[in-house]
Amino acid sequence: MKTASLIFLAGSLLAALPALAQERVWRCGNEYTNNSTIAQQKGCKVMEGGNVTVVQGTKPSGGGSAGGSSAPAASRAPAGSPRVEGVDQRARDGEARSVLESELKKAEARQAELKKEYNNGEPEKQGSEGRNYQKYLDRVAEMKAELARNESDIAGIRRELGRLPARQ
């Protein structure tokens, strides 16, 4: 009988340990605190149920006011990134420009080919399209969509080229 009561006592103590380890947590809008005096001052609500894990975010580093910096944020390298010498960067930019220019030429040639085949929305009918007009309409719609996609690709390549520094 003594062993049964000791086991019961040990089990009830172990069951109570997690409750002792977890402190009360209050939610104050988007903030959480375990300090009861701050929670009472701010009128926070007690969080009940499961554990709460809060990960502190990082504060943006900057020179003070927003928009007061002299260099745009897009031109700055991310923190910890390796510094590239000017000559190497110009070589990379030149290589990127040549790749983009060749892609632009291919896309423009493809666009001209698609426009010729599209024939202002009236391409030549093929095979069974003479008997099945819906098949012809589906192909025309597909051609129109492909023309639009290719035009969008061309615009994107031109934007990328515009972002690169001018050749020197």
Side-chain angles (χ1 to χ4, degrees):
M1 185 77 126
K2 286 184 180 182
T3 57
S5 61
L6 284 176
I7 292 174
F8 176 73
L9 179 62
S12 61
L13 284 176
L14 288 175
L17 283 178
L20 295 174
Q22 179 69 34
E23 297 180 41
R24 281 190 156 177
V25 177
W26 288 269
R27 181 177 182 180
C28 312
N30 287 334
E31 288 185 36
Y32 296 89
T33 184
N34 60 353
N35 188 329
S36 62
T37 56
I38 293 173
Q40 289 173 351
Q41 289 173 353
K42 292 184 175 182
C44 303
K45 296 180 181 177
V46 175
M47 295 293 298
E48 304 218 2
N51 296 333
V52 176
T53 303
V54 178
V55 178
Q56 293 293 328
T58 57
K59 300 213 184 315
S61 61
S65 66
S69 62
S70 59
S75 67
R76 279 189 238 137
S81 64
R83 182 80 178 136
V84 179
E85 295 299 319
V87 175
D88 292 337
Q89 187 60 48
R90 280 191 292 279
R92 288 180 184 181
D93 290 343
E95 185 177 330
R97 180 173 292 283
S98 65
V99 168
L100 285 171
E101 285 173 347
S102 71
E103 288 296 319
L104 181 62
K105 285 179 185 175
K106 286 180 192 174
E108 287 173 338
R110 176 74 176 140
Q111 187 74 0
E113 180 183 309
L114 288 171
K115 280 184 179 181
K116 182 180 176 187
E117 187 179 327
Y118 185 65
N119 193 23
N120 291 325
E122 297 177 5
E124 292 182 26
K125 292 183 181 179
Q126 298 175 342
S128 65
E129 291 176 347
R131 293 184 304 269
N132 189 348
Y133 189 66
Q134 186 58 48
K135 199 172 193 181
Y136 173 75
L137 292 177
D138 291 344
R139 186 170 67 90
V140 171
E142 195 175 305
M143 292 171 90
K144 186 175 181 180
E146 191 172 353
L147 272 166
R149 276 193 306 272
N150 199 57
E151 186 65 38
S152 176
D153 291 347
I154 290 171
I157 293 170
R158 286 184 178 148
R159 272 194 309 274
E160 289 299 317
L161 278 169
R163 290 182 183 142
L164 290 175
R167 286 190 175 172
Q168 294 178 358

